[in-house]
Every structure is written in C-alpha cells, then in structure tokens.
Amino acid sequence: MEVYKFGGASVKDAAGIRNVGNIIRLNAEKDLLIVVSAMGKTTNALEALTESYINGENSTHSLFEEIRQYHHSVLAELFEDESHPAFDEIENTFIEIEWMLEDDPHPGYDFNYDQIVSIGELLSSRILSAWLNHVGFKNKWLDARGVIQTDNTYREGQVDWTKTCKAIEVMAPILKDQFIVTQGFIGGTSENFSTTLGREGSDYSAAIFASCLNAEKLTIWKDVPGVLSADPKLFSDTRKYSELPYSEAMEMTYYGATVIHPKTIKPLQNSGIPLLVKPFLNPEEEGTIINETAAVCKDFPAIIVKQHQVLASISTKELLFITEDHLSEIFKAFAMAHIKINLMQVSALSFTVCFDEEKEKFNALIVALNNSFKIKYNQDLQLITIRHYKPDTIDQLSSGKIVLMEQLSRNTAQLVLK
Ligand code: ASP
Ligand code: MG
C-alpha cells in the first residue's frame, strides 16, 4: 500500500478537490491511504478565530462565519444537490465549534487552540472523502484523532508510537477494498481531546501512517515540481533535485527548508520507506525521490532563507570572560524559553546567538538572563544557509547587505544579514 498526502494548496477550492480526484483516478489500482491538510489558508483563519475567541473580541462571530461560508461554497460548487449528506456533516462540525465558542474558554490557550484549529482538517477530509465517493472511489473517512495518539502537549502533541501503530494497524484490512481518507496535523489524547502536531505537521502525520502501515512509499503532492535548490518565491534560478538521500533532506529541513516538515524524514528512514515529492498540477512528472541510496548533488548550492531573525550578543554585566558556567546558564535560559538556536558563536567576552523572532519567548529569555547578563540585539534579520556553497555564492547573496555573522564549515555556509 502507499500513502498520499495533499497539502492545503492542493485542496484550496473545488477545482483543487476535483484535481485530487483525477490524481486518484490515475492511481486507482493502488491501495491508498490519503492524508489531507486543511483547505487553503484555513489553519491561519482558525488561528485568528481562536485568538479572537480567547480575547473575547467582537470579531469572533464574523471570523467563524467566513470559515463556514468558505467551506460551504466549495461544497456547493462540488455537489449541485444540496441534500447530499456532506452538507449535514460539514454543518454538524461547525455546530460543535459554535457551541464551544458560546462557552467561556478553558484555562490554557494551547488547549483551546487545538480544539478549534483541528477542525480545519476534519472539514477538508470530510469534503474530499465525500467527493471521492461521489466520483466512484469508494473510501472510508477515518478520524485521525482516534489513531494518532499523543500526550497532552497541546500544539506540539508528542506521538505515542506504540499505541498509534497498534491503532493504525487495525485499519489496514480496510484498504483491501476501499481507500482511506484521513487528516494530517491532528491527533487525540487518551481523554479524547484533540491535539495538533505543530504547524505544517500534516507531512509528519503522513509519515506516521506510512511507517505504521509499512507502506511501499509516501508521496507528498506539492505546488512545486519537487524539492528545489531554493524557494522559487525568493530566487528565480532554482533547480529541482531528481533525488536526495534522507540525510541531506533532513539537513535541509533542519536549516529551515519548508518543503517538508522537519519531523517527516526520520520515521521513513527508520522503516526504509522512500518519500516522493511530486507536483499535484503535473502528476505525471517524476518529482524528487528521497531515499537511503540517492547521491548527494553538489553541482549547485542549496539556499535556505530564514526571515525574522534576532541576533543577540550576551555578555556578563562585569564584562568577564565567558566561561562554561556562563554558557550553561545561558543555554538553560534558552531551553526554558523554548527558543531553538539557529546559529551561535562564542568569543572572549560575549556569546552571540541567532534565533527566530517570537515575541513572548524572547521576552521570557530576557527576563531569565537579566540578572547576570547584558543583552544587545538586532531584529528583523535574515539567516541564509548555503549547502555545498561555492565562494561566489556567498558574495552574490551578501552583496548590498551587511554581514553581521558568518560561519563556514566544509559543506555549509551560514550568514546573518541585515
Ligand atoms: N493545516 C496545517 C497548517 O497549515 C497543517 C499542514 O498544512 O500541514 O499548519
Ligand atoms: Mg499546509
């Protein structure tokens, strides 16, 4: 069997959903489990709804109505007959949320977030499942919250692999005579609350399903031809990799390549399942294959850009040499503020560190360090990572900009630019 994952862009409207139907038609002989993200920018819209609900703002109702209208209009375009059961299914999902919005929020922002934001995938998967049934692809809609078992770390649910695989394996026989359509990004706790696995986590869900079912292959259908050497929205001269080894793909996601969620590759590598990244608009193209044996391509550099970076320089108040004791105190503060360090450098009197700008976490860091350390920082910077760089790539990328920090290793160059 194989697992297919369709992202938000591929199901953003009725035409997108029909296109998914066509891709299934081309592969109808396979046993497929299909994982789908929320439609278009629904997750962002649900995040805004959560924020408004928790802050008790007047916009809550109109934000909710907009999301409801969007899904309703896609359904209405797909199914002329408004008595189709999909209309009721979607409406019922909205009614549940409406009830919740009428109550006071529970304590804990993240808990509320997950109960609300998780409906994006419930809606998209209901619509896709109904459409596929309608066009003759018999399928079962599976509630991922009943199989992807997580702890109660809301917004970053940690998967209990043993329980999850057991629950998924039970579903396997269904695939013999029908497809399964399920949700990415969401899971459930042992108390039956919804959790989410972190933004863009649907790829990770697909990898979990593939791994527990020991799939032959996982295909992620994207709006790009495959894994590219750089983001085509930022660079005009990008190249597509025909193949990548797992390790290289993992490194690229670590440095911030957004084409695949960083947690996706490891479970596939553990089970030796190849990952195919293919364009949903040209399904016959070959895309990029990621596996154990692929060769690393060093012919052209891979460029990964992270925006909204902070570069902070941390020194002791008495201007002492930076010792291991200081470093351990500093790292503890980063860990407690849940800030992931993207790049760092120690010098005699200061420790310089680059990380994503997230206001609340940054404030927590400053509070934690304030007693013993002085912090100076620059905001709104760019971190560029270049894998397999050539000397002129660095010059080209930094031309006209100020390089605030530079670090080179044999394969990787990193620049913090202003
Ligand atoms: N819908 C979720 C998000 O936008 C998960 C995903 O798309 O992978 O983050
Ligand atoms: Mg998405």
Side-chain angles (χ1 to χ4, degrees):
M1 61 84 50
E2 295 185 28
V3 176
Y4 278 8
K5 182 262 172 172
F6 291 96
S10 66
V11 291
K12 70 176 194 301
D13 51 21
I17 294 193
R18 286 195 198 100
N19 180 56
V20 171
N22 292 337
I23 291 175
I24 302 305
R25 176 166 297 116
L26 295 172
N27 295 280
E29 80 290 352
K30 294 179 178 157
D31 295 342
L32 293 176
L33 180 136
I34 300 159
V35 174
V36 66
S37 298
M39 284 163 42
K41 301 273 177 237
T42 300
T43 304
N44 292 352
L46 288 165
E47 281 188 343
L49 173 66
T50 307
E51 180 87 27
S52 168
Y53 162 61
I54 288 175
N55 297 333
E57 287 161 16
N58 295 333
S59 55
T60 307
H61 185 71
S62 60
L63 291 171
F64 173 75
E65 276 309 318
E66 243 172 73
I67 300 167
R68 173 153 52 187
Q69 270 313 315
Y70 170 41
H71 286 82
H72 185 87
S73 71
V74 171
L75 262 188
E77 212 184 313
L78 289 170
F79 302 100
E80 275 158 25
D81 177 7
E82 293 229 359
S83 67
H84 191 284
F87 286 89
D88 273 349
E89 283 168 12
I90 294 300
E91 199 41 38
N92 290 341
T93 311
F94 278 111
I95 287 171
E96 265 177 53
I97 288 299
E98 203 166 19
W99 284 343
M100 189 176 158
L101 297 177
E102 278 163 14
D103 277 341
D104 288 336
H106 283 252
Y109 189 97
D110 294 350
F111 173 83
N112 292 289
Y113 176 104
D114 278 4
Q115 309 321 304
I116 297 173
V117 171
S118 56
I119 73 157
E121 271 71 11
L122 295 172
L123 294 163
S124 61
S125 60
R126 284 267 185 216
I127 296 177
L128 180 63
S129 165
W131 176 251
L132 292 179
N133 274 322
H134 181 73
V135 293
F137 302 119
K138 194 173 157 219
N139 70 87
K140 180 179 166 52
W141 181 85
L142 172 68
D143 190 333
R145 296 171 301 176
V147 288
I148 306 264
Q149 298 293 302
T150 72
D151 67 1
N152 57 5
T153 317
Y154 294 103
R155 292 183 78 172
E156 195 69 57
Q158 300 299 308
V159 173
D160 180 327
W161 276 85
T162 313
K163 279 195 201 160
T164 297
C165 277
K166 243 194 206 148
I168 290 176
E169 279 160 15
V170 173
M171 310 307 301
I174 296 175
L175 286 165
K176 290 210 180 77
D177 61 6
Q178 50 184 318
F179 300 113
I180 292 178
V181 175
T182 191
Q183 308 81 42
F185 183 52
I186 69 173
T189 67
S190 51
E191 288 113 21
N192 289 326
F193 290 116
S194 305
T195 50
T196 62
L197 309 180
R199 285 302 308 263
E200 304 303 327
S202 293
D203 295 346
Y204 179 42
S205 303
I208 296 169
F209 278 108
S211 160
C212 294
L213 289 166
N214 204 10
E216 257 166 72
K217 206 190 296 169
L218 163 61
T219 305
I220 295 184
W221 296 90
K222 301 272 314 177
D223 56 359
V224 284
V227 179
L228 303 178
S229 59
D231 183 346
K233 289 186 206 104
L234 301 176
F235 296 91
S236 52
D237 179 26
T238 59
R239 316 261 197 104
K240 182 188 73 90
Y241 297 99
S242 55
E243 60 172 23
L244 282 172
Y246 292 124
S247 54
E248 186 69 19
M250 272 173 85
E251 296 232 30
M252 287 172 72
T253 61
Y254 174 83
Y255 290 119
T258 54
V259 57
I260 315 159
H261 188 277
K263 283 182 170 173
T264 310
I265 313 273
K266 193 66 204 160
L268 300 176
Q269 182 182 28
N270 289 347
S271 316
I273 300 168
L275 167 61
L276 206 55
V277 179
K278 275 174 64 108
F280 60 76
L281 289 176
N282 296 302
E284 68 295 336
E285 278 182 19
E286 62 166 16
T288 301
I289 179 100
I290 300 167
N291 61 23
E292 192 67 52
T293 53
V296 181
C297 168
K298 296 186 177 175
D299 303 346
F300 47 91
I303 303 167
I304 301 147
V305 180
K306 265 181 170 274
Q307 312 280 12
H308 310 297
Q309 298 294 298
V310 182
L311 188 67
S313 156
I314 302 166
S315 48
T316 64
K317 290 208 158 141
E318 307 87 342
L319 222 63
L320 304 168
F321 286 138
I322 294 284
T323 65
E324 284 65 26
D325 285 339
H326 296 133
L327 289 174
S328 109
E329 205 177 319
I330 294 169
F331 282 129
K332 212 157 131 205
F334 273 87
M336 279 178 26
H338 299 287
I339 298 179
K340 181 181 162 285
I341 294 174
N342 294 332
L343 192 63
M344 59 190 168
Q345 215 161 56
V346 202
S347 65
L349 299 175
S350 67
F351 176 69
T352 308
V353 50
C354 176
F355 50 91
D356 295 358
E357 187 164 347
E358 288 171 276
K359 209 166 135 219
E360 271 152 37
K361 294 182 179 177
F362 189 28
N363 288 341
L365 178 78
I366 290 178
V367 170
L369 290 175
N370 220 359
N371 266 338
S372 324
F373 298 95
K374 254 189 341 205
I375 309 169
K376 286 192 290 186
Y377 57 88
N378 264 296
Q379 286 165 291
D380 211 16
L381 306 174
Q382 232 182 15
L383 170 63
I384 300 194
T385 302
I386 316 161
R387 297 275 297 159
H388 314 296
Y389 62 92
K390 316 254 183 296
D392 58 329
T393 353
I394 297 183
D395 294 343
Q396 279 162 18
L397 290 170
S398 55
S399 121
K401 300 196 172 138
I402 304 169
V403 182
L404 297 179
M405 186 158 147
E406 179 177 285
Q407 223 167 64
L408 307 182
S409 67
R410 204 151 48 91
N411 287 320
T412 310
Q414 292 193 284
L415 312 169
V416 180
L417 301 175
K418 191 181 170 136

